[in-house]
Amino acid sequence: MGRRGRKRRLDLETQYWALLADGVGSIEACRQLGIGRKTGYRWRTENGGLPPVRLAEEARSTRYLCLLERQRIATLRAAGHSIREVARRLGRSASTVSRELKRNTLPHDRGGYDATLAHARATGRSIRPRRGRLLDDLELRAKVQEKLELEWSPEQIAAWLRAEYPDRPGWHVCHETIYQALYNSRRSGLCRTLTRKLRTRRPLRRRRRRADERRIRFVTESESIDARPEVVEKRSRTGDWEGDLIVGRSSRSSIGTLVERRSRYVRLLYLPGGHRAEPFAAALGALFEQIPEHVRWTMTWDQGAEMARHNLFGHLFAEGVYFAHPASPWLRGTNENTNGLLRQYFPKGTDLSVHGPEVLREVEDRLNNRPRKNLDWRTPAEVFAEGLAP
């Protein structure tokens, strides 16, 4: 006998997950759907933060009754038609209709057969999650849990299992299997508290947006890196720049990093006013006004919000400002490598606002006067000076 109380509303759950996928927060999604916040939180925790996999209605086999057929059954039965007559009109077997009425009509249902409620019950029963690999193999689960306690990542554990037990292919699980076991303990036997051993320490999984789903951070017309002149790739001239920000603890402080592609010459941008769009544009414009015009050809940046007012300084570059594709740092490889060098002086998780202009100039001098292998052991300052010559 089914349990009493409010029935599972799968249609609302589907709408809830769709809103989350569109970027709406959980509380706002619950408000729009008219459900309590605890309900939304329960739906999220049941699946570790990710939407459940459900087969779309149109993808279901025609051997199963659809919602429209159940609605016709309810209408015809309410009109007093027999089971055989209902089956004839639907083009179904009488036994199919009979089983449907018995399975999805419960004693405490008021008013008899309800099509929407019956469809929800049938859909709920059709979800048969298979048992996880770690739930069936206690020895494997113990090995995985042991490494998680040592703060190994799931990817490291998966690679270790393949290397340590090559003759046990049943233990060669992928890292996603371990992640799903962590966030859906009912299928694995692992305790959800082990998520604290992960690097992110997140109790729920967070949906990642694909690069092509990311929202544009600014509305000012901009040029894609695809339109950048081909000569920039050749590093044959001085004056093609790449830029980015390195941020401090809790993103409350930042330093602008600029590097010239041919010479690897570095300039650091002091940002006492923060990295909001207008203060950032003013600081960047002031810096490049000090650089000779004939070594200001292009600027390439990522799609960070700090560049929302790039139109305020775009005129300083003869061939314009260009933006790399979202989540594609390799398109600005020179700058990314430079940021890695700078982290020796400005470690992650520290307050970068304590470093004044004098410190930034000192770090610039150290990097620009250090011989570089990719410059035939010349320094960036020497190569940049060659480009400054008229």
Side-chain angles (χ1 to χ4, degrees):
M1 180 175 176
R3 66 176 178 84
R4 296 179 180 272
R6 174 166 284 184
K7 307 302 184 295
R8 190 103 188 187
R9 294 171 290 179
L10 296 180
D11 55 336
L12 277 182
E13 287 189 50
T14 302
Q15 294 176 44
Y16 172 79
W17 288 111
L19 288 172
L20 293 190
D22 290 338
V24 179
S26 179
I27 295 177
E28 175 62 19
C30 293
R31 188 192 66 79
Q32 292 185 22
L33 297 175
I35 60 178
R37 290 183 294 176
K38 290 185 178 180
T39 300
Y41 182 76
R42 174 168 54 82
W43 289 344
R44 289 182 64 211
T45 54
E46 284 177 350
N47 293 281
L50 292 183
V53 179
R54 293 197 183 108
L55 197 62
E57 186 69 26
E58 59 272 11
R60 293 183 181 276
S61 171
T62 55
R63 64 182 289 232
Y64 301 109
L65 292 173
C66 65
L67 177 59
L68 179 60
E69 289 177 308
R70 289 189 167 96
Q71 290 172 340
R72 291 189 65 192
I73 291 174
T75 301
L76 293 171
R77 289 293 289 171
H81 293 288
S82 67
I83 291 178
R84 290 189 179 277
E85 177 62 17
V86 172
R88 187 187 65 79
R89 296 196 181 191
L90 263 63
R92 292 281 188 174
S93 168
S95 60
T96 299
V97 178
S98 176
R99 283 196 301 268
E100 168 66 19
L101 292 171
K102 289 179 180 178
R103 286 173 177 170
N104 295 319
T105 304
L106 300 182
H108 59 267
D109 289 346
R110 298 177 181 177
Y113 181 80
D114 184 303
T116 304
L117 184 57
H119 191 68
R121 286 170 177 164
T123 303
R125 284 197 303 269
S126 68
I127 302 173
R128 299 183 180 91
R130 66 179 184 181
R131 292 170 61 87
R133 183 82 61 84
L134 275 64
L135 191 61
D136 291 331
D137 193 328
L138 299 181
E139 188 179 357
L140 173 60
R141 186 172 71 196
K143 293 289 184 183
V144 170
Q145 183 163 336
E146 176 186 347
K147 296 304 180 183
L148 287 171
E149 292 285 359
L150 296 176
E151 298 179 341
W152 284 32
S153 72
E155 191 170 13
Q156 290 170 330
I157 297 172
W160 176 79
L161 287 171
R162 283 173 168 77
E164 190 71 15
Y165 302 99
D167 56 339
R168 302 187 70 169
W171 282 22
H172 298 174
V173 297
C174 67
H175 60 276
E176 179 62 23
T177 297
I178 301 176
Y179 274 117
Q180 291 188 11
L182 273 172
Y183 287 103
N184 195 342
S185 57
R186 292 180 300 176
R187 291 183 54 192
S188 68
L190 290 177
C191 182
R192 179 81 67 86
T193 57
L194 285 172
T195 56
R196 299 173 185 170
K197 300 293 183 178
L198 299 177
R199 180 180 57 82
T200 61
R201 300 174 63 88
R202 292 193 187 113
L204 296 176
R205 297 191 78 174
R206 183 177 298 175
R207 177 181 178 271
R208 285 183 174 272
R209 295 172 297 174
R210 298 201 313 267
D212 58 355
E213 290 180 336
R214 297 194 176 193
R215 296 180 180 178
I216 299 175
R217 290 180 177 267
F218 39 83
V219 295
T220 306
E221 185 176 354
S222 58
E223 287 284 350
S224 168
I225 193 172
D226 296 331
R228 193 174 66 175
E230 293 183 5
V231 66
V232 178
E233 292 294 330
K234 300 177 181 178
R235 302 181 190 267
S236 59
R237 67 182 184 185
T238 302
D240 296 307
W241 299 81
E242 293 180 4
D244 195 10
L245 291 181
I246 55 174
V247 296
R249 183 172 59 246
S250 303
S251 298
R252 293 179 180 174
S253 57
S254 59
I255 297 173
T257 67
L258 302 148
V259 58
E260 200 280 318
R261 283 178 55 84
R262 176 173 176 267
S263 63
R264 279 70 169 183
Y265 187 78
V266 177
R267 292 302 308 269
L268 299 180
L269 189 61
Y270 180 56
L271 299 171
H275 54 268
R276 290 177 291 111
E278 292 193 2
F280 174 82
L284 188 63
L287 185 147
F288 271 99
E289 285 177 351
Q290 303 170 11
I291 297 177
E293 185 177 352
H294 64 278
V295 288
R296 298 196 312 251
W297 289 102
T298 65
M299 165 65 75
T300 305
W301 207 276
D302 65 9
Q303 296 194 24
E306 69 275 0
M307 290 290 282
R309 298 303 306 276
H310 61 88
N311 57 305
L312 298 180
F313 55 81
H315 64 280
L316 297 175
F317 299 92
E319 296 183 357
V321 177
Y322 300 90
F323 293 89
H325 301 309
S328 305
W330 56 87
L331 296 177
R332 300 175 299 100
T334 305
N335 181 248
E336 289 295 321
N337 179 67
T338 301
N339 288 347
L341 299 177
L342 288 168
R343 283 301 187 181
Q344 179 180 357
Y345 306 98
F346 309 113
K348 292 184 178 181
T350 60
D351 182 6
L352 301 184
S353 64
V354 302
H355 304 292
E358 299 80 10
V359 176
L360 301 191
R361 299 292 83 80
E362 181 182 349
V363 174
E364 281 182 8
D365 291 340
R366 290 191 182 187
L367 292 182
N368 291 333
N369 291 286
R370 180 187 300 174
R372 302 286 290 273
K373 181 179 180 180
N374 50 18
L375 298 177
D376 295 327
W377 300 113
R378 294 188 295 167
T379 67
E382 293 171 347
V383 178
F384 188 73
E386 291 177 1
L388 287 176

